[in-house]
Amino acid sequence: MYEQLQEELLSYQKSFPVRAPDRLVEELGLDGDDLDMSVAPAIARRSGRSLEGAQSNPHYGRVMTASDLVYFFNCQSEAAPQATAFH
């Protein structure tokens, strides 16, 4: 999660370590669209978590900090394995 946030932030500002209490909007400069459209799907892919049923996640709508994002994805179910062309 932290690596993906760091990668996303490179387009906004100089690289620096993301800390758990960093506020995503106020301190890191991300906006809701960035989180919904690029950051969350990328973290889901990298972590093997699904975004299905996100609205029922107890952290949904409460993600304000980097650590909140970790808690959100910890509550998401694992993604179904992807089929490959090589069986």
Side-chain angles (χ1 to χ4, degrees), residues 7-82:
E7 188 176 305
E8 182 72 27
L9 291 171
L10 286 176
S11 64
Y12 293 92
Q13 50 195 307
K14 187 176 180 179
S15 179
F16 61 91
V18 173
R19 299 172 303 128
D22 287 344
R23 292 178 296 168
L24 300 173
V25 175
E26 295 87 352
E27 295 173 357
L28 299 180
L30 295 171
D31 65 31
D33 289 340
D34 293 329
L35 290 169
D36 292 343
M37 303 304 287
S38 65
V39 175
I43 291 172
R45 278 191 302 277
R46 288 180 79 162
S47 66
R49 299 289 181 158
S50 171
L51 287 174
E52 294 293 321
Q55 295 82 2
S56 62
N57 185 312
H59 300 281
Y60 182 79
R62 297 178 177 185
V63 176
M64 305 297 170
T65 66
S67 62
D68 292 340
L69 198 54
V70 171
Y71 294 131
F72 174 84
F73 276 101
N74 281 341
C75 289
Q76 286 300 109
S77 62
E78 291 185 17
Q82 298 294 317

